[in-house]
Amino acid sequence: MSYIVLPMTSPSPTLQTSAESEHASSRRWWTLSVVALAQLMVVLDSTVVNIALPAAQADLGFSNGDRQWIITAYSLAFGSLLLLGGRLSDLIGRKRTFIIGLVGFAASSAIGGAAGTFGMLVAARAAQGAFGALLAPTALAVLTTTFTIPKERARAFGVFGAIAGAGGAVGLLLGGFLTEKLDWRWNLYINVIIAIVAVIGASIFVANMHRTGPRPKLDIPGTLIVSGALFSLVYGFSNAETDGWDSPLTWGFLAAAGVLLIAFVLWQRRAAHPLLPLSIVLDRNRGAAYSSVLIAGAGMFGIFLFVTYYLQASLGYSPIQTGLSFLPMIGMLVLAAQLSTNIFVPRFGPKIMVPFGMTLGVIGMIYLTHLDLNSTYAADVLPPLLILGFAMGSIMPASMQTATLGVDRHFAGVASAMVNTSQQVGGSIGTALLNTLAATAATDYIASHTPPSARVMAEAAVHSYATAYWWGAGFFAFGAVLAALLFRRRGQGLSLSHDPAPAATTDDAPEPVVAH
């Protein structure tokens, strides 16, 4: 009697029943819903907390100088731990990491919402950032390893990219509503509600991936080096925003970041179990995708921050009116994301679509420079917002999809973390540079228009926003050129229809069949 052990594989598409295929497809889309909900929670958080800051400051009584730490505590923890969070999802399992991230983020949000002191709120925000660094790259990695069929993958990344781009604007609307109608604390409590739904969904729909072969070890030296580098980088830019570019602390931390990043690259070349295999970022397509996400993140900051300032301070909009003003941009972004991933990217590839989106970003930013104290929403604000929405819908899905394409599934988490890291660093650069440039422009304008009346102060603010828009246009122009040069032409290297990895071995996979 002989035994033949058949390999553990999924049934071939020709032998699958239509019911099995339909069930698997349905499960994948439910997984997307859960992942999208988690991503929306992370993206929303920074914006809704920004809206809640004045009310929180009045309630807890902290100073203007301390106010920045509510934002900085989150961004420091989030930015410095992203690569570690992504790698942990590769090592301990994505479903487990995803649920841990959701529970931790919700608990931290609840503590922050109940905070009675400034110190407690800052600690809660730092904890949110740490669990967010675990959750955000894991969500993208789950998406990457769940959707391997090219057509479904394109649709899934279209939804995910739309959420990544539109979440900030949705946060403005939600934050304004919660602050005005309820209480600033609900800007944090809302995460608990979202997380409970996402945990239930993840428990049911997100599949476990079983590793074959020995479990690799965590690169502890590499983790410490890159975490220190990212902490120094984010802190350096945050300090530039508050203390200026002439601060020794700013340049000290930025210099330390540069040294540590060089040390990290050198260590990754010789590490037995590298945290971030250099082949992931050295591939031209993926390198172009990470660069595009970083540049778009820096440019987009000017839209949300300075348009918000303009609508509220210059035109007198309420927080809710400001949030509603961004809704058409969100609608255009979602439309563009779906058109891009389902029609344009498969036909033209990222080499065409990303520079196209960047060029639209330039046009939208230049349009915004013409705003003044007499501008109207319909004629002067709405058109550039629609253009910029289409721009981000063309850039983000194509870049995110390309950034994780072709990566070994055992490194999908850390490759996904690089997307979030690029976006976070881009936001930090945009925050520091654009705020500094805008503040300088406002000061120069007031100095050249004496005496500084209320009218002059208002005009100085609008002038400073225009300066930020011009620099934002410059970011997008640089991104257009860089993307056109770096992305490969269709048919060269990785293709967007390439399956990134073999299908995962999950709890739903059939057991080995033993035949006599």
Side-chain angles (χ1 to χ4, degrees):
M1 181 184 295
S2 61
Y3 295 88
I4 302 173
V5 180
L6 303 181
M8 184 187 298
T9 58
S10 300
S12 68
T14 57
L15 297 179
Q16 268 190 320
T17 66
S18 59
E20 289 173 333
S21 178
E22 192 172 321
H23 172 74
S25 179
S26 175
R27 179 170 182 142
R28 283 195 294 272
W29 292 112
W30 278 110
T31 299
L32 172 62
S33 300
V34 174
V35 168
L37 195 61
Q39 173 70 5
L40 182 63
M41 182 177 69
V42 173
V43 175
L44 283 178
D45 186 72
S46 59
T47 313
V48 296
V49 170
N50 282 338
I51 295 291
L53 262 182
Q57 184 176 1
D59 190 9
L60 300 180
F62 51 86
S63 67
N64 288 338
D66 289 336
R67 182 173 58 190
Q68 60 137 339
W69 285 104
I70 306 299
I71 306 301
T72 304
Y74 178 92
S75 61
L76 286 176
F78 184 73
S80 59
L81 297 175
L82 272 168
L83 288 180
L84 173 61
R87 191 65 183 127
L88 284 176
S89 78
D90 294 329
L91 298 180
I92 68 175
R94 298 200 177 96
K95 181 172 183 175
R96 181 184 305 168
T97 309
F98 189 69
I99 292 176
I100 291 172
L102 284 169
V103 172
F105 198 91
S108 305
S109 299
I111 293 171
T117 64
F118 171 72
M120 186 177 178
L121 181 57
V122 170
R125 289 288 291 159
Q128 273 188 301
F131 283 106
L134 198 64
L135 182 59
T138 305
L140 184 54
V142 168
L143 196 69
T144 300
T145 53
T146 299
F147 289 90
T148 56
I149 299 173
K151 190 174 182 179
E152 290 188 351
R153 178 183 171 88
R155 291 177 181 172
F157 272 86
V159 172
F160 195 84
I163 290 173
V170 175
L172 291 172
L173 177 60
L174 182 62
F177 176 82
L178 293 174
T179 302
E180 283 191 27
K181 301 299 182 183
L182 296 174
D183 184 80
W184 70 267
R185 297 178 185 275
W186 275 97
N187 287 278
L188 292 163
Y189 289 146
I190 190 67
N191 292 330
V192 180
I193 299 172
I194 297 174
I196 289 173
V197 177
V199 167
I200 294 171
S203 302
I204 298 171
F205 299 112
V206 176
N208 280 314
M209 185 184 76
H210 297 299
R211 178 179 299 280
T212 57
R215 181 185 295 276
K217 298 178 181 178
L218 180 64
D219 177 15
I220 295 178
T223 299
L224 294 175
I225 294 170
V226 78
S227 296
L230 292 172
F231 179 93
S232 299
L233 189 65
V234 175
Y235 187 85
F237 282 118
S238 298
N239 196 75
E241 182 188 359
T242 55
D243 295 348
W245 288 98
D246 56 350
S247 168
L249 204 59
T250 296
W251 288 108
F253 271 96
L254 290 178
V259 172
L260 289 172
L261 285 173
I262 293 172
F264 176 69
V265 171
L266 295 176
W267 172 255
Q268 293 304 283
R269 295 180 63 182
R270 59 187 293 264
H273 301 281
L275 177 69
L276 176 66
L278 296 181
S279 60
I280 290 177
V281 294
L282 292 180
D283 176 84
R284 271 183 60 183
N285 268 6
R286 285 194 288 270
Y290 294 136
S291 300
S292 298
V293 170
L294 185 148
I295 293 167
M300 275 296 289
F301 178 81
I303 301 171
F304 291 131
L305 181 70
F306 293 105
V307 173
T308 299
Y309 284 166
Y310 172 76
L311 291 174
Q312 293 191 14
S314 301
L315 298 187
Y317 282 30
S318 69
I320 291 181
Q321 287 176 318
T322 301
L324 289 171
S325 299
F326 282 99
L327 283 182
M329 188 186 85
I330 297 172
M332 184 61 75
L333 193 154
V334 172
L335 173 64
Q338 294 307 309
L339 290 174
S340 177
T341 51
N342 292 303
I343 299 175
F344 298 138
V345 172
R347 179 172 298 179
F348 302 112
K351 188 175 181 68
I352 300 296
M353 290 309 301
V354 175
F356 169 74
M358 292 285 187
T359 303
L360 286 180
V362 174
I363 296 170
M365 283 293 192
I366 292 176
Y367 201 135
L368 287 172
T369 63
H370 294 87
L371 296 177
D372 58 34
L373 295 174
N374 299 314
S375 297
T376 62
Y377 176 78
D380 303 300
V381 179
L382 180 59
L385 288 184
L386 293 176
I387 294 171
L388 288 164
F390 204 96
M392 295 306 296
S394 302
I395 296 169
M396 297 302 288
S399 296
M400 285 185 166
Q401 187 174 350
T402 308
T404 56
L405 193 62
V407 177
D408 187 304
R409 72 181 318 105
H410 296 142
F411 291 99
V414 74
S416 301
M418 273 299 298
V419 177
N420 299 103
T421 301
S422 300
Q423 202 167 18
Q424 176 68 24
V425 171
S428 297
I429 293 173
T431 301
L433 284 179
L434 296 181
N435 257 337
T436 303
L437 293 164
T440 302
T443 301
D444 293 344
Y445 187 91
I446 293 171
S448 62
H449 293 75
T450 54
S453 63
R455 177 75 180 184
V456 168
M457 299 293 286
E459 290 175 345
V462 174
H463 174 73
S464 71
Y465 307 154
T467 301
Y469 301 144
W470 276 115
W471 279 91
F475 290 161
F476 280 117
F478 176 72
V481 174
L482 191 67
L485 292 175
L486 286 184
F487 277 112
R488 294 187 181 97
R489 293 192 300 273
R490 283 174 54 80
Q492 291 185 339
L494 292 174
S495 165
L496 283 180
S497 62
H498 177 66
D499 187 349
T505 303
T506 69
D507 289 340
D508 297 325
E511 296 297 325
V513 180
V514 180
H516 295 277

